[in-house]
Amino acid sequence: MHPRLFADRSPQRPAVVMQSGETLTYGQLESRANQAAHVFRALGLKAGDCVAIFMENELPYFEICWGAQRAGLYFTPVSSRLTAEELQYIVEDSGAKALVFSASLRDAAVPVVRALTDRVVAFSVGASVEDIPCWEVKRATMPSTPIGDERAGSPMFYSSGTTGRPKGVRYALKDEPATAAHPYSEFVKNVFGFGDDTIYLSPAPLYHAAPISYCMFIQRSGGTAVVMDKFDPEAALRLIERCGVTHSQWAPTMFIRMLKLPQDVRTRYDLSSHRVALHAAAPCPISVKQAMIAWWGPIVQEYYSGTEGVGVTMINSEEALRKPGSVGKPVVGVPHILDASGQELGPRQEGQIYFESSADFSYHNAPEKTASARLAGKPNWATLGDIGYLDEDGYLYLTDRKDFMIVSGGVNIYPQEAENLLATHPKVADIAVFGVPNDEFGEEVKAVVAPTDWNEAGEALAEELDLYCRQHLSPIKCPRSYDFERELPRTDTGKLYKKSLRDRYWAGRATRIG
């Protein structure tokens, strides 16, 4: 399926509705995507080249992505929160020959355009910036009919960079028509019931893999993507009612913020149209998921996967209540739990999670990282670096990222459990738990807390949180100390940049192993 089909059938049907009410129809999307493809060809970009997209959530995001897709290009969405230095790294590493950026992001974009003036052609969305031409003006000069040499392109997303420089996840392009079916799109369409009656709420930044991918999946199905400018818990509920949202996708931090709304606000909006609420991106505390199911009913579904596409697990509400904490059973790939020596472990034994699958990804310009993600001797076994276990029924449970495992006095501690628990405390707005140096035990457990009320930050709150943690967890899993910050570094989809916090405590040491 492809949006062109729906442009032919129902050109006035909305493909995108922004939070402001601004709308892009399928007919407009088709014309503008074709014009975008002509722009890229006029610049000399050929199949296999790359265009970088450095934008806020705006309507032109979709015409640029679909234009690149039908021109056989890789398109790389870039976080709008990056500095000029970080942006330049991705533009250079991806080999992008074009950069399209929001005029509002000029302070970061213009220095990169100047530094790469001989290698990258740039356009500014919304208005021209200095001597950099306006995207809309250039696009409007092009034919609205398809280019003559269409073929299917693909996104190349960059990892979040929490463990070093981000790397692009790249799949080999197939020599197939731009309108060819997308295997994963067809899969999620069938699993979640996407169709031309779907109204999908996307509350997160489009530069992340899931938001832009699922919006494009919806457009392959003929539905409407409702896109928020920026997540706000009450505004999200208002949009579900106003737009008759049927499907949505969230991060657990969004759930937590909605659950903390006053009861009269939570019950103010009609959510009866809502049929499927997906969540992913980060582990969800059990009590948070249970509270969301109690509020929204058995429409909450979770999937666990990664940009690399090595495997997918899913779990619905009924299963989640029976198997609290699980991310579900595999629907793509076969999971294996391995110890440090590569031996496969039995039920409820924690180890590194590998998926056996046909995923043929590579990390762009990083053959060593590609090799390290695959198991020696078994190239079709790959890992995202997560730690977890399978139970007797084949349900997968995550315990942590390998990189954040704490070794204290020879005991392995996975901080996710304490982090999930403390996130539910009413005085905690956000929380990060990780290992810091301890001269006697090598490492100890540290919590950094963003309190709901900054005026309560201090020793009394630390003692209250410590008592709360020890009431529920073994003392060895509980933080030995608490620090307080007004805000923790997170992406808008809820991923925590824990490394930037942890690095403060390991400064001046050669390694982060105690």
Side-chain angles (χ1 to χ4, degrees), residues 245-258:
V245 166
T246 61
H247 294 66
S248 60
Q249 185 162 186
W250 314 85
T253 52
M254 296 175 181
F255 283 167
I256 292 170
R257 288 182 62 187
M258 288 189 289

Side-chain angles (χ1 to χ4, degrees), residues 30 62 86 108 117 179 182 200 202 260 322 331 338 340-341 347 420 442 478 489 493:
E30 174 65 15
F62 295 96
E86 292 167 321
T117 185
T179 54
H182 187 289
Y200 173 80
S202 182
K260 290 183 177 181
R322 285 191 292 108
V331 292
L338 307 182
S341 65
N420 287 350
C478 295
T493 55

Side-chain angles (χ1 to χ4, degrees), residues 219-239:
Q219 289 157 1
R220 284 181 177 271
S221 303
T224 299
V226 178
V227 179
M228 297 189 73
D229 302 325
K230 184 178 181 181
F231 174 71
D232 174 86
E234 185 175 358
L237 300 177
R238 187 181 301 116
L239 281 170

Side-chain angles (χ1 to χ4, degrees), residues 363-413:
Y363 293 107
H364 187 51
N365 292 335
E368 72 292 339
K369 186 174 181 180
T370 303
S372 68
R374 299 190 182 278
L375 188 65
K378 294 187 176 181
N380 61 332
W381 290 32
T383 182
L384 301 174
D386 289 327
I387 301 295
Y389 64 88
L390 293 165
D391 71 7
E392 299 81 358
D393 300 317
Y395 283 82
L396 181 66
Y397 294 74
L398 305 181
T399 52
D400 209 356
R401 291 284 297 179
K402 180 183 179 183
D403 293 312
F404 296 113
M405 181 180 73
I406 302 167
V407 182
S408 183
V411 177
N412 291 350
I413 301 170

